[in-house]
Amino acid sequence: MKFDRNTVIGFAVLAVLFFGYFYYTNKEQSAYRQQKIREQFVKDSTEQANRPKIDTSTLQQDSLKSDSIGQLARSGDFRQAANGKEEILIVENAVFKIAFSSKGGQPKWVELKNFKNQDSGLVKLAGTDFDRLSYTINTGNNNTAQTGDLFFQPGQLVKNPDGSSSLSYTLGSADSTAASSIIHRYTIPRDEYMIGFSVVLNGADKLVSGGVMNLSWQYSAAPQESDMSFEKQNTQIGYVADGEFDYHTIGRRSDKTFEDPVKWVGVRQRFFFSSLVAKDNFSSGKMEWQVPPDNEKMIVRSTSAMKVPVAIASRATVDFSIYYGPSDYQLLKKYDLEFERLVNLGQGIYAFVRPLNKWIIMPIFDFMKSFVGSFGLAIALLTLFIRLLISPLTYSSYLSGAKMKALRPEIAGLKEKFGNDQQAMSMEQMKLFREAGVNPLGGCIPALLQIPIFFALYSFFNAEIGLRGAEFLWANDLSAFDDVIKFGFNIPLLGSHLSLFTITAVVTSFLISIYSMSMSPDQSNPVMKYLPYIFPVFLLFIFNNLPSALTWYYTVSNLITLALQFVIQNYIIDHNKILA
C-alpha cells in the first residue's frame, strides 16, 4: 500500500478536524454542566432558606435514644450487653499487632510489622468502621440481635508456653434461667499471620435456629500502593467451593452465590490478603463487593453472608481461622488451603505462563536474590540466565540475518527484473531463499519465544511482594513505576510522569531496531520499512505505568541483545564463508 503526499495531508486535516470537533463539543458540554450545577445550587439554596428551622441537635439526640431503646428491645436475654463502652485490647506477635474490641468480641484492626504503607507507617488491614465479623443469635421473645452490636465482657489474655497467646471474650445472658452464653476464643500464634477463632455456644439449640449460624464478614481493602488504579486492577475475590478454587477480578462482577460447601472466602489486594476459613466448611452463602470511586480512597468493600452448620445441642463449638497478612506465594502455600493460587503468577488467558513462573522463574530468582542480596541485580542476573538459555536460537536468528544480508545483491536484481509484479517477485525470492538455505522467518523465533517469557515476568513482577519498597538506582520501589520526571499535569495515554527506566527500555529498543534493519534486505513496503522504528515509540506509552522491575528487565535484555549481536556478528559468524 502506497501513501502519496496528498493522502497524508488529507488524513492529517481530517485528524485535526476530528480533534477540534471533540474538543469544542466537550467544552460546550462542560459549560452546560457547570451552568446546570449553578442553577441547581441556587434552587437548593432557595429551598433550604425557605424551609422551617429544625433543631438538628435535638433530632440527633432523639434518634440516638430511639436506637438505644430499639437495641435494648432486640437484645432480649442479653439486654445487659446492649449498651456499654468499647474496650480495645492489643495483642502482638513477631509479625503483626492486632487490636480486639469488646464490642462484638472481634478483631478491630491489624498492623503488619514487616511492611510499610505509603506514609512510612505500618500497613493496616481491616481498620475501618465498615469492617465487622458478626452473626445472628436468638435473644428470646422472637427477637434476634447481631453479636457485632453487643458488648462482651473485657477480654482475658493468657500467654501460652509455646509462645502463642489466647484471648477470650464472654457474652452472658441476663436471664439465669436461660443459661445461654457465648465465648469467643482467639489463638494468636508466635510468628504466624493466621489466627484461630472459635465460637462456643452454650445453649446452641436456643441461640441459633435450625442448626445454622448466619455469619456476616465485612471487609474493606484500603489502598496500600502508590498507584490506586493499578492496585484495583490487581485486586481479586477468591474462594474454594466444593473443593475447587476460583476467583473473580473485582471490576468484572460484583457478587457470587454459593450453593455448595465453601472452605474459605478471601480478598487479595496486589500484595496483601485477608481470608475467613471455616474448619468444617460453610454450607452455602453469598459474597458481594463494591468498588468505590477513587475519591473515597478505598479499593473494595466486600460482604460475605455465609451459613455455618451448628450442632443442635446444649453446647456447640464452631471453629474458624482468619488470615491477615502478605500475599506471599511461599508463605500461603504452607497453609495447604490453596491460598497461593490467588497469587497472580499467570491467570485467565495468561494461565499458560504459571508453570513457567512456578518451576523456572521463581526458583532462579530466589537463588539469584540470595546470592547477590539486591533485587535489581537479581533481576539483571535472571535476565542474563534467560538470554543465555535461548542463545542457541538467538545465534540461529543472527545466522539467518547474515544470510539475508549476503543475498541483498540477488534480491536487488530480482526487483529490477520483475519491477512491480509483486507476485512473481515473491515467488522468485522464496525460491532464492530455499536454494541458499535461508529461513526468512528464522529471525522471528527468538522474538516469539520471548513473548511467553515477558508475560510470565509481567505476572511475576506484579505479584512478587519482595519487590515492594525495594530500591534500585533511581527507583524507590521496583514494584511501581519510577516517576523521576514529573509533569505536574496529565498527558493522555502517558500519565503525569515519565519513567526513566521506560526511557532506557525505549532507547535500547530503538538501537536494536536500527541494527536489525541494517541486517535486513531493503523493504519496498513503507509500513514494514518503518515499523521497527515505530515500535519503540509504542513502548513508551505501554511501559510508562508498569513496574520498574519489568522495564529494568527489558532494558537489561536489550543490552544483552546488543552485546550478543556484536559478538556473534563480528567474532562467531564467518561472513565470507556465508557469501561463498
Side-chain angles (χ1 to χ4, degrees):
M1 181 177 181
K2 295 184 179 180
F3 297 93
D4 59 21
R5 182 181 178 184
N6 293 333
T7 304
V8 173
I9 293 175
F11 276 116
V13 171
L14 284 175
V16 171
L17 290 174
F18 273 116
F19 278 115
Y21 170 77
F22 287 125
Y23 174 80
Y24 176 79
T25 304
N26 183 67
K27 187 176 180 180
E28 289 295 307
Q29 290 177 347
S30 178
Y32 175 79
R33 287 194 297 268
Q34 292 297 325
Q35 178 65 23
K36 286 296 183 182
I37 290 172
R38 285 193 292 270
E39 292 175 358
Q40 186 65 37
F41 177 78
V42 172
K43 180 180 177 181
D44 293 343
S45 299
T46 304
E47 291 177 355
Q48 179 67 25
N50 294 331
R51 289 194 188 105
K53 301 298 181 183
I54 299 174
D55 188 348
T56 56
S57 61
T58 301
L59 282 179
Q60 188 176 15
Q61 290 177 2
D62 291 345
S63 177
L64 291 173
K65 184 177 180 181
S66 177
D67 290 343
S68 178
I69 294 173
Q71 176 66 19
L72 187 63
R74 290 190 298 272
S75 300
D77 295 338
F78 297 90
R79 55 187 175 275
Q80 86 289 348
N83 298 295
K85 181 180 179 182
E86 183 180 27
E87 296 187 17
I88 303 298
L89 181 62
I90 296 177
V91 183
E92 296 187 49
N93 67 6
V95 295
F96 62 46
K97 181 190 297 184
I98 181 169
F100 291 91
S101 171
S102 60
K103 186 177 181 180
Q106 60 184 316
K108 183 78 172 178
W109 49 258
V110 180
E111 287 185 343
L112 307 182
K113 293 184 176 181
N114 298 323
F115 301 94
K116 299 286 187 180
N117 61 22
Q118 296 302 309
D119 297 325
S120 298
L122 296 178
V123 165
K124 194 172 188 177
L125 304 178
T128 70
D129 293 336
F130 178 82
D131 294 273
R132 175 183 171 102
L133 182 59
S134 180
Y135 52 92
T136 306
I137 58 171
N138 298 322
T139 57
N141 297 324
N142 295 322
N143 287 323
T144 61
Q146 287 289 323
T147 58
D149 296 327
L150 302 176
F151 290 85
F152 286 61
Q153 296 175 14
Q156 303 296 316
L157 183 64
V158 177
K159 289 288 186 180
N160 300 320
D162 61 356
S164 64
S165 300
S166 297
L167 177 63
S168 298
Y169 285 95
T170 303
L171 181 67
S173 171
D175 186 358
S176 58
T177 60
S180 296
S181 65
I182 299 173
I183 301 174
H184 287 182
R185 290 177 179 160
Y186 295 93
T187 302
I188 300 91
R190 182 178 59 184
D191 55 3
E192 292 284 341
Y193 291 98
M194 182 92 82
I195 65 174
F197 172 42
S198 296
V199 178
V200 180
L201 301 172
N202 292 309
D205 50 348
K206 300 181 179 63
L207 288 171
V208 297
S209 301
V212 175
M213 173 192 290
N214 294 305
L215 181 142
S216 173
W217 179 49
Q218 296 179 189
Y219 178 76
S220 58
Q224 306 294 347
E225 315 306 323
S226 58
D227 189 345
M228 190 161 67
S229 61
F230 193 68
E231 188 174 2
K232 285 184 177 182
Q233 294 173 22
N234 287 275
T235 297
Q236 298 174 338
I237 303 295
Y239 52 87
V240 167
D242 197 25
E244 297 292 332
F245 166 81
D246 205 353
Y247 72 96
H248 301 288
T249 302
I250 58 173
R252 295 184 180 177
R253 60 183 299 174
S254 59
D255 64 87
K256 170 63 181 179
T257 300
F258 303 105
E259 303 292 345
D260 299 311
V262 179
K263 186 64 177 178
W264 59 266
V265 292
V267 178
R268 180 191 65 81
Q269 293 172 251
R270 187 179 172 197
F271 291 125
F272 299 99
F273 177 54
S274 298
S275 178
L276 177 64
V277 185
K279 181 181 179 181
D280 296 321
N281 293 343
F282 303 104
S283 58
S284 59
K286 183 177 183 180
M287 281 190 79
E288 297 178 320
W289 55 91
Q290 175 194 17
V291 182
D294 289 348
N295 60 2
E296 292 190 25
K297 302 298 182 184
M298 190 62 59
I299 302 299
V300 66
R301 294 189 183 98
S302 72
T303 300
S304 303
M306 310 302 293
K307 295 185 179 297
V308 189
V310 178
I312 304 177
S314 59
R315 181 183 173 92
T317 301
V318 186
D319 293 317
F320 304 93
S321 297
I322 310 173
Y323 180 91
Y324 295 112
S327 178
D328 184 304
Y329 180 87
Q330 300 296 348
L331 174 63
L332 296 178
K333 189 176 180 180
K334 294 178 181 178
Y335 293 108
D336 196 25
L337 290 167
E338 296 193 86
F339 284 162
E340 74 281 0
R341 295 189 62 182
L342 200 54
V343 179
N344 186 8
L345 297 179
Q347 295 176 338
I349 61 174
Y350 301 113
F352 67 96
V353 304
R354 191 174 183 88
L356 183 62
N357 271 323
K358 284 178 60 178
W359 306 116
I360 299 177
I361 302 296
M362 287 182 62
I364 296 173
F365 182 78
D366 290 340
F367 172 77
M368 298 298 184
K369 181 179 61 179
S370 63
F371 182 69
V372 297
S374 166
F375 281 94
L377 293 178
I379 292 171
L381 290 175
L382 173 66
T383 309
L384 180 61
F385 175 84
I386 292 172
R387 295 312 308 274
L388 290 176
L389 195 65
I390 64 173
S391 58
L393 290 175
T394 305
Y395 169 77
S396 175
S397 169
Y398 295 155
L399 182 61
S400 177
K403 291 180 179 180
M404 294 279 285
K405 185 176 181 180
L407 292 176
R408 278 184 176 181
E410 284 78 1
I411 294 174
L414 291 176
K415 288 181 180 178
E416 185 177 349
K417 179 179 179 181
F418 293 101
N420 295 326
D421 191 347
Q422 293 293 330
Q423 184 175 359
M425 168 67 187
S426 298
M427 293 178 62
E428 288 298 320
Q429 186 171 282
M430 292 304 298
K431 181 180 178 182
L432 175 65
F433 287 160
R434 285 195 300 270
E435 291 175 351
V438 174
N439 181 6
L441 299 178
C444 301
I445 297 176
L448 293 175
L449 184 62
Q450 288 193 66
I451 291 176
I453 295 175
F454 181 83
F455 285 144
L457 290 171
Y458 175 80
S459 299
F460 175 68
F461 290 147
N462 278 333
E464 173 53 45
I465 192 170
L467 296 173
R468 187 180 185 272
E471 298 181 357
F472 183 68
L473 297 178
W474 52 81
N476 296 321
D477 184 355
L478 284 173
S479 70
F481 55 78
D482 63 284
D483 53 353
V484 176
I485 304 173
K486 299 180 181 179
F487 302 140
F489 54 89
N490 189 69
I491 298 177
L493 302 178
L494 193 65
S496 60
H497 71 280
L498 187 58
S499 165
L500 200 52
F501 273 133
T502 296
I503 294 176
T504 60
V506 169
V507 170
T508 51
S509 295
F510 189 73
L511 293 175
I512 291 175
S513 296
I514 293 175
Y515 185 86
S516 298
M517 289 302 292
S518 70
M519 296 298 297
S520 301
D522 294 333
Q523 288 284 349
S524 58
N525 189 328
V527 176
M528 294 302 296
K529 185 175 182 179
Y530 294 108
L531 184 61
Y533 302 111
I534 298 173
F535 177 70
V537 179
F538 287 147
L539 292 182
L540 180 66
F541 297 95
I542 296 171
F543 281 3
N544 197 48
N545 291 299
L546 294 182
S548 299
L550 192 65
T551 47
W552 167 235
Y553 156 78
Y554 204 81
T555 299
V556 175
S557 180
N558 286 344
L559 291 173
I560 294 173
T561 297
L562 288 169
L564 287 174
Q565 284 180 336
F566 179 80
V567 172
I568 292 175
Q569 295 289 359
N570 291 279
Y571 298 101
I572 298 178
I573 295 178
D574 189 338
H575 293 272
N576 293 327
K577 185 177 180 180
I578 291 175
L579 186 60

